[in-house]
Amino acid sequence: MGLLESLDRLDRAGFLAFAGQGGPEADALFTLTSSGWLAALVWLGLALIQRRPGALIPWIWLVVTMLAAFGAADVVASGLKDALGRPRPCWSLEGQFRPVAACKGAFGLVSGHAATTWAIFTIYIRSRPPRWAVALALMWALAVSVSRVYLGVHYPGDVLAGAAVGASISLLIV
């Protein structure tokens, strides 16, 4: 067995060990965590922490850069999904786990949620927020990433690849 087959087997095993393994409370929590509206509120709240009195222009640049990173990561993740063509686990492992979210789109590598979240996170931490805000942002980025596996729409490898793509795009932007 080659390296890629070993990684695929590990990815599937990790997915099956975690996806949909909670109850109604976990389902609701992870569904909420994957919500785009909540993500927008969280990132806006974190960005507001960076707003310094009398320094509106740097704050506007932070928000604009976060939005640019989001957009670029979303476009690249979508393009990679089509180019790589790896089926989502909700399609390829149908009937082997309890799906929590509806399966949308044929392909899952790379996770768009992870790419956009880690792109914004990377821009945000470059703005030198307080340590407690970095910790909150990191917990949020991890929670969004984990939610995608729990909900049954991405393998762990899809999420890791999305995080790497998002962070890389932000570093190019910066």
Side-chain angles (χ1 to χ4, degrees):
M1 179 181 340
L3 177 63
L4 290 179
E5 291 86 8
S6 296
L7 288 173
D8 185 57
R9 184 174 289 183
L10 181 64
D11 215 13
R12 288 172 185 263
F15 174 83
L16 290 171
F18 184 66
Q21 294 297 319
E25 295 85 9
D27 293 356
L29 178 64
F30 284 118
T31 299
L32 183 63
T33 302
S34 274
S35 161
W37 291 107
L38 181 58
L41 289 174
V42 167
W43 288 118
L44 180 59
L46 287 166
L48 285 171
I49 292 167
Q50 292 303 91
R51 173 80 164 84
R52 308 280 188 256
L56 182 61
I57 299 300
W59 183 78
I60 290 173
W61 275 111
L62 170 63
V63 172
V64 167
T65 307
M66 289 168 73
L67 289 170
F70 172 89
D74 189 50
V75 167
V76 171
S78 294
L80 285 172
K81 283 179 189 178
D82 292 336
L84 297 172
R86 183 184 192 196
R88 289 177 181 268
C90 43
W91 299 122
S92 61
L93 298 177
E94 191 173 9
Q96 298 180 43
F97 71 100
R98 182 182 70 87
V100 178
C103 200
K104 296 178 183 173
F107 307 123
L109 181 64
V110 303
S111 167
H113 277 74
T116 56
T117 297
W118 288 94
I120 294 170
F121 173 80
T122 303
I123 295 295
Y124 181 72
I125 62 170
R126 298 286 300 217
S127 71
R128 298 188 197 131
R131 284 186 183 167
W132 64 267
V134 170
L136 284 176
L138 179 60
M139 287 189 302
W140 176 252
L142 290 170
V144 169
S145 299
V146 168
S147 77
R148 305 310 290 161
V149 178
Y150 179 87
L151 294 174
V153 296
H154 285 292
Y155 291 106
D158 299 348
V159 172
L160 290 172
V165 164
S168 297
I169 287 169
S170 286
L171 291 175
L172 288 174
I173 288 172
V174 170

